[in-house]
Amino acid sequence: MDQSKDQSKPSSAQRWKPVRLGCISIVTLALLGIGVIKLAVHLDIQETKASMRILKRTGNCRGCDLSFANLSGYDLQFADLEGADLRDADLSGAVLGAANLSDADLRYADLEGAILRQANLYNAKFDHANLTDADFHCGAGTCTTLDGASFRNANLTRAIMFCLDCFPEGERIGLDGVDLRDANLTGANLERSRLDRANTEGARFCNTTLWNGKVSNQDC
């Protein structure tokens, strides 16, 4: 048996020995990683800007990427934003009356003082959004559509959600499938908006006007 051949073969430990990177290699890899991140952020910003241009030009932007967009105070009445990505967007004071926001993603968005009357919010996500003083109430004979919308951990302090299920008596089933778990409803007005079919587990009720006009202070 040729022992020289056996000695020349690397052991399994030697074959799998980690490659040692020098300082220059580590710095190079770190810079490459930073470069990739910067490029991704740049492309995301460019996409948001392109979506903003479409929205300004047409008034609609279905399925657009508007994440982190500054839409504060914008008049977006009747805008079609179905399926749009509006995560972390600034929509404070925006007018979204009769807008189509069905299936839109508004998680962590700032909607303080926003007008959402008669908007279609079917299956929209408002988790962790700021909806302080937001106005959802009915108008001109039609109501805001909230079926399936999610407001988990949302701030609905002083939100006006008056008469959201003001339909013919035979159709009144409450806010069907609305997720209000852990939402802050302090000072909110829910008069004539029944919560029969909504999930309110962990929601905060303090000086909250309920569907029957009674004020709940259970969590004050």
Side-chain angles (χ1 to χ4, degrees), residues 53-156:
R53 287 194 291 271
I54 293 170
L55 181 60
K56 288 177 181 178
R57 187 174 68 252
T58 68
N60 302 307
C61 208
R62 290 167 65 100
C64 286
D65 182 358
L66 290 161
S67 55
F68 294 94
N70 184 0
L71 295 163
S72 178
Y74 270 54
D75 185 351
L76 297 169
Q77 292 184 81
F78 304 104
D80 188 354
L81 294 164
E82 181 179 350
D85 183 353
L86 287 153
R87 287 173 297 172
D88 292 280
D90 184 357
L91 287 154
S92 55
V95 180
L96 291 153
N100 181 11
L101 287 161
S102 59
D103 295 306
D105 191 344
L106 293 122
R107 287 175 290 179
Y108 294 95
D110 184 0
L111 289 132
E112 182 170 357
I115 306 297
L116 293 151
R117 300 175 192 172
Q118 302 167 265
N120 181 359
L121 307 178
Y122 177 77
N123 278 343
K125 299 182 184 69
F126 291 91
D127 301 353
H128 299 276
N130 178 20
L131 292 146
T132 302
D133 295 314
D135 187 349
F136 294 84
H137 81 262
C138 292
T142 57
C143 293
T144 305
T145 304
L146 275 170
D147 292 1
S150 177
F151 294 90
R152 290 196 69 178
N153 289 287
N155 182 5
L156 286 154

Side-chain angles (χ1 to χ4, degrees), residues 118-119 136-139 141-147 160-178 189-198 209-213:
Q118 302 167 265
F136 294 84
H137 81 262
C138 292
T142 57
C143 293
T144 305
T145 304
L146 275 170
D147 292 1
I160 303 170
M161 304 178 83
F162 176 81
C163 205
L164 293 183
D165 68 337
C166 288
F167 296 99
E169 285 299 317
E171 299 176 16
R172 294 185 67 180
I173 59 171
L175 302 182
D176 192 24
V178 175
N189 184 353
L190 289 156
E191 188 171 356
R192 298 180 69 189
S193 296
R194 299 184 308 156
L195 300 175
D196 304 30
R197 303 279 289 274
T209 303
L210 303 179
W211 71 274
N212 55 7

